[in-house]
Amino acid sequence: MHFTVRQEQIVNTSIKLIANQGIQTMTIKNIAKEIGVSEPAIYRHFKSKFDIIYAVMDYFDHYSLEVCEIIENPELNAIASIDLFFKNRYRFFADHPELTKVMFSEEAFQYDAQLSQKIMHIMHQHREILLKIIEKGQKDGLIRTDIGFDHLFHIVIGSMRLMVDRWCFSNFSFNIYTKGMALWESVKKIL
């Protein structure tokens, strides 16, 4: 993924508009106004509003895959891998609150088949990687086996999801990294 400086500015402005005022306010007109350029200037970098939204998802996906590559390190045991996933993910959320809010508002994208497919692709990638790690942890005796790895995945990711939703709805009123890592320590005991 490579964006020009202007494309990155357009993507970041779009993220702010969606996060702060909803997806309906992310129009080419509003993006141009926020940046201080003409609408045709935006169209020189992206063909449509759809392409901008898709670029926002690619932006998130790029950072997500970097974390996934790190946690798949075969030298890490399953608990260490999941711990690293949580640390990186909560750090990312803290550093990119508006992007987090946008990406955790998947329902805003559900009415477009291509956008829904992109969201599902991102979710599926994370799910597959974490399921493999949990299953490996079970085989290695580090994670309990009396609960299926798919259910453990939902417990782990579901706890994160609820924490992020609460943080977003509270307008980022607490330190997501600190609270998230405390939650992870509790979830770890369940594993």
Side-chain angles (χ1 to χ4, degrees):
M1 177 194 77
H2 178 70
F3 290 129
T4 65
V5 172
R6 179 64 81 194
Q7 286 174 320
E8 194 163 331
Q9 186 182 28
I10 292 166
V11 167
N12 285 324
T13 300
S14 300
I15 290 167
K16 288 177 186 171
L17 284 169
I18 297 168
N20 296 325
Q21 299 170 35
I23 196 162
Q24 68 281 358
T25 64
M26 197 217 94
T27 63
I28 300 297
K29 181 179 182 174
N30 287 341
I31 295 167
K33 182 179 175 184
E34 286 290 317
I35 294 174
V37 299
S38 67
E39 291 178 50
I42 302 296
Y43 285 112
R44 280 195 289 275
H45 300 280
F46 291 99
K47 293 178 191 173
S48 66
K49 176 181 171 175
F50 172 86
D51 288 341
I52 297 170
I53 294 171
Y54 207 83
V56 167
M57 291 180 178
D58 278 343
Y59 197 68
F60 179 76
D61 193 25
H62 171 75
Y63 288 110
S64 293
L65 287 177
E66 284 181 352
V67 171
C68 290
E69 287 174 12
I70 293 167
I71 68 170
E72 288 184 295
N73 181 343
E75 293 180 17
L76 296 174
N77 70 43
I79 297 297
S81 289
I82 299 169
D83 188 66
L84 190 56
F85 173 80
F86 270 81
K87 285 178 182 172
N88 279 298
R89 190 56 44 148
Y90 281 123
R91 178 56 49 215
F92 178 86
F93 297 157
D95 291 345
H96 303 91
E98 291 169 331
L99 180 57
T100 301
K101 189 172 187 178
V102 170
M103 293 311 299
F104 277 76
S105 301
E106 308 94 0
E107 62 277 354
F109 308 117
Q110 70 184 353
Y111 300 105
D112 183 282
Q114 284 182 291
L115 296 177
S116 291
Q117 186 176 3
K118 180 68 171 176
I119 290 282
M120 287 300 296
H121 173 74
I122 293 168
M123 290 174 149
H124 184 73
Q125 283 178 309
H126 297 155
R127 181 178 182 276
E128 289 304 308
I129 290 165
L130 286 170
L131 282 176
K132 285 179 191 172
I133 291 169
I134 292 169
E135 188 174 24
K136 181 183 181 302
Q138 287 179 321
K139 287 178 183 171
D140 294 343
L142 298 172
I143 296 177
R144 64 192 300 166
T145 58
D146 59 331
I147 299 174
F149 59 89
D150 191 47
H151 289 175
L152 288 173
F153 166 80
H154 283 95
I155 292 167
V156 168
I157 294 302
S159 68
M160 177 185 282
R161 173 63 196 234
L162 288 172
M163 177 67 71
V164 171
D165 282 347
R166 195 174 120 230
W167 180 60
C168 289
F169 283 119
S170 73
N171 200 27
F172 319 119
S173 68
F174 57 89
N175 184 318
I176 187 68
Y177 184 82
T178 303
K179 293 258 190 198
M181 290 310 295
L183 175 62
W184 163 236
E185 289 302 318
S186 295
V187 170
K188 198 185 314 184
K189 293 174 185 173
I190 294 169
L191 295 178

